[in-house]
Amino acid sequence: MKKILVTGGAGFIGSNFVNYILTNRDDLFLVNLDKLTYAGNLENLKEVENHKNYSFIKGDITNNELVDYLFKKYSFNYVINFAAESHVDRSILGSEVFFRSNVVGTNVLLEASRRYGIEKFVQISTDEVYGSLGPTGLFTETTPVSPNSPYSSSKAASDLMALSFFHTFGLPVVITRCSNNYGPFQFPEKLIPLMIINSLNGKKLPVYGDGLNVRDWVYVIDHNRAVEIVLEQGKAGEVYNIGASREMKNINIVKLILSKLTKPEGLIEYVKDRPGHDRRYAIDSSKIQNELGWKPEFDFENAINETIEWYLKNKNWWQGIITGEYQKYYKTLYGDR
Ligand code: NAD
Ligand code: TYD
């Protein structure tokens, strides 16, 4: 039985990964190390909490002693580092925790991996490290890294640091750079769940700038299938882009959500643009498709419908989240609307 340290496994993508692996594999033991920040939620893991191949540890990846103790105790074969502060707008409100968790935290995990020896370290990076595209072209793995937000620059720092551990120490590091994810359990600060929930609550839908910024959307399970393949077949020292070639202008996503929920477009409110807002992201994922045989399986039209359905069926999940800290954050960012 191979043992994997999964960090950030109580967040959106990490919890989908844990649920997916424990449902589909019986040869992997997962230790989920998560600090349970505002974005971490054990409700996401209810179905697997007593699974024989699973253990949850509440803790911070920046905690050297704890990380060392876990490596000693479990002798991990693999590390998959999902843990991060993940929201651009929060990184604009305050960047310090982004650099602590994303950069220092990754360093702690890399150092422990080097001390104890592992078979593969998968660093979950993002296409946002490449910066912004004009109206044409795609990010490839050789596009220069040029991040624009505190969030993406902290991710670029951890991504490049991880690669440096391959070049300098021979640590078997692989980097994934995925485009924007959507699906169940996504925290309501992100575009798609925020717009679904505001529509259901009859609140205004705050669209930044002219609404014409483009993101390239991939269903979270397709991302996690790619991570599984990279874990097993990814070549050490390599970067793999992940994306489903589904570019959408923000305003079109918002209108699609309104139309699925039969709500009026009058709920849309154009608001002041996000500072430094990247105009367009678009991924060329031919490397992982050609070299590792991955391809996206979920069609956007079906998967976005299923995602909207999930938020309709799981009101308790998000109603429990959009109180307290979330309300404070929302007011700071969006004012009284
Ligand atoms: P998320 O914010 O939903 O979850 C992050 C998780 O990490 C939470 O459970 C949180 O408690 C945990 N965490 C944060 N700091 C920690 C720390 N110091 N120690 C331990 N745990 C900590 O994020 P997500 O959307 O699931 O993203 C997961 C990863 O994927 C991130 O590394 C992110 O940069 C990357 N990524 C996200 C997207 C996307 O569209 N969401 C796209 C590409 C890459
Ligand atoms: P987001 O989900 O924050 O992801 P990222 O910035 O990491 O790509 O935002 C996706 C897009 O939606 C981005 O162009 C910003 C825009 N957006 C809005 O227009 N209004 C909002 O309230 C939010 C959260 C995002």
Side-chain angles (χ1 to χ4, degrees), residues 7-16 32-41 44 57-63 81-87 97 100-102 105 123-128 151 155 158 176-182 185-187 189-190 216-218 220 223 242:
T7 69
F12 162 49
I13 303 173
S15 65
N16 274 289
N32 175 9
L33 171 61
D34 196 296
K35 185 181 172 183
L36 299 182
T37 67
Y38 77 90
N41 188 348
N44 305 2
I57 314 283
K58 181 178 187 311
D60 194 321
I61 57 168
T62 66
N63 182 339
N81 185 25
F82 289 101
E85 289 294 332
S86 68
H87 193 41
V97 69
R100 191 150 24 86
S101 289
N102 302 2
Q123 173 64 14
I124 306 297
S125 188
T126 163
D127 63 349
E128 300 191 27
Y151 162 69
K155 292 297 291 183
S158 47
T176 62
R177 295 181 183 152
C178 188
S179 62
N180 287 63
N181 285 218
Y182 64 99
F185 301 121
Q186 187 166 29
F187 194 84
E189 66 197 353
K190 303 289 196 312
D216 190 355
W217 295 93
V218 64
V220 63
H223 180 188
I242 303 166

Side-chain angles (χ1 to χ4, degrees), residues 94-233:
S95 63
E96 199 256 339
V97 69
F98 283 73
F99 290 90
R100 191 150 24 86
S101 289
N102 302 2
V103 183
V104 176
T106 301
N107 180 255
V108 167
L109 296 171
L110 288 166
E111 285 292 356
S113 301
R114 189 157 82 85
R115 274 197 307 282
Y116 287 89
I118 50 159
E119 290 164 49
K120 188 80 63 75
F121 187 110
V122 181
Q123 173 64 14
I124 306 297
S125 188
T126 163
D127 63 349
E128 300 191 27
V129 300
Y130 296 122
S132 185
L133 289 166
T136 58
L138 301 173
F139 295 134
T140 71
E141 288 82 357
T142 55
T143 302
V145 168
S146 179
N148 293 317
S149 72
Y151 162 69
S152 57
S153 66
S154 72
K155 292 297 291 183
S158 47
D159 168 327
L160 296 179
M161 173 173 39
L163 280 175
S164 82
F165 272 61
F166 167 73
H167 291 288
T168 307
F169 306 115
L171 190 72
V173 166
V174 186
I175 310 290
T176 62
R177 295 181 183 152
C178 188
S179 62
N180 287 63
N181 285 218
Y182 64 99
F185 301 121
Q186 187 166 29
F187 194 84
E189 66 197 353
K190 303 289 196 312
L191 178 74
I192 289 179
L194 186 140
M195 297 301 169
I196 297 171
I197 290 169
N198 279 17
S199 302
L200 292 174
N201 285 339
K203 287 188 74 163
K204 289 286 185 190
L205 310 189
V207 172
Y208 298 156
D210 60 8
L212 300 180
N213 298 63
V214 172
R215 296 294 182 263
D216 190 355
W217 295 93
V218 64
Y219 191 59
V220 63
I221 300 299
D222 273 333
H223 180 188
N224 283 330
R225 287 177 42 253
V227 172
E228 182 188 18
I229 291 172
V230 165
L231 178 73
E232 294 184 321
Q233 298 174 43

Side-chain angles (χ1 to χ4, degrees), residues 38 48 59 100 166 238 311 323:
Y38 77 90
V48 296
R100 191 150 24 86
F166 167 73
E238 295 290 317
Y311 282 88
T323 54

Side-chain angles (χ1 to χ4, degrees), residues 174-310:
V174 186
I175 310 290
T176 62
R177 295 181 183 152
C178 188
S179 62
N180 287 63
N181 285 218
Y182 64 99
F185 301 121
Q186 187 166 29
F187 194 84
E189 66 197 353
K190 303 289 196 312
L191 178 74
I192 289 179
L194 186 140
M195 297 301 169
I196 297 171
I197 290 169
N198 279 17
S199 302
L200 292 174
N201 285 339
K203 287 188 74 163
K204 289 286 185 190
L205 310 189
V207 172
Y208 298 156
D210 60 8
L212 300 180
N213 298 63
V214 172
R215 296 294 182 263
D216 190 355
W217 295 93
V218 64
Y219 191 59
V220 63
I221 300 299
D222 273 333
H223 180 188
N224 283 330
R225 287 177 42 253
V227 172
E228 182 188 18
I229 291 172
V230 165
L231 178 73
E232 294 184 321
Q233 298 174 43
K235 212 170 140 235
E238 295 290 317
V239 174
Y240 296 94
N241 282 353
I242 303 166
S245 302
R246 197 58 168 85
E247 289 181 53
M248 292 278 287
K249 293 189 178 82
N250 293 338
I251 190 64
N252 291 339
I253 295 246
V254 173
K255 287 184 176 168
L256 184 145
I257 290 169
L258 283 169
S259 121
K260 300 277 181 217
L261 295 172
T262 60
K263 301 284 179 184
E265 288 193 3
L267 287 178
I268 294 171
E269 185 177 0
Y270 288 93
V271 299
K272 197 165 153 295
D273 208 355
R274 172 190 278 173
H277 195 176
D278 285 338
R279 191 62 171 169
R280 176 171 166 262
Y281 302 146
I283 274 272
D284 176 345
S285 64
S286 52
K287 178 174 171 181
I288 188 170
Q289 300 211 28
N290 296 335
E291 293 182 15
L292 305 185
W294 172 85
K295 64 174 180 5
E297 284 180 349
F298 288 84
D299 160 73
F300 180 80
E301 273 65 32
N302 290 330
I304 192 77
N305 279 342
E306 276 182 25
T307 301
I308 295 172
E309 278 298 316
W310 187 88

